[in-house]
């Protein structure tokens, strides 16, 4: 369930910043958005893995 909610939040955030990137097509803004999305994806992947201790 936590993984589903994290994926939902990731998708909602991606849609939000995607709209921002298309409405304001500044190259600097697009680069910041891509870096932010990469960090968010990394955090999603590393924090949603199953912990062997649980």
């Amino acid at each position: 369930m936590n993984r589903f909610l994290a994926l939902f939040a990731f998708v909602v955030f991606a849609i939000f910043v995607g709209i921002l990137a298309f409405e304001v097509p500044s190259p600097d803004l697009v680069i910041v958005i891509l870096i932010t999305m990469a960090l968010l994806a990394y955090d999603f992947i590393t924090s949603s893995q199953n912990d062997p201790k649980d």
Side-chain angles (χ1 to χ4, degrees):
M1 185 66 176
N2 287 340
R3 186 176 284 180
F4 173 73
L5 290 175
L7 183 60
F8 178 72
F10 180 79
V11 170
V12 169
F13 184 74
I15 291 170
F16 173 74
V17 295
I19 291 171
L20 180 64
F22 283 118
E23 292 295 322
V24 185
S26 170
D28 295 337
L29 179 63
V30 172
I31 290 170
V32 169
I33 288 173
L34 290 176
I35 292 171
T36 303
M37 291 303 294
L39 290 171
L40 185 63
Y42 174 77
D43 183 55
F44 171 71
I45 290 168
T46 57
S47 65
S48 68
Q49 292 175 348
N50 291 334
D51 193 15
K53 292 182 260 180
D54 288 340

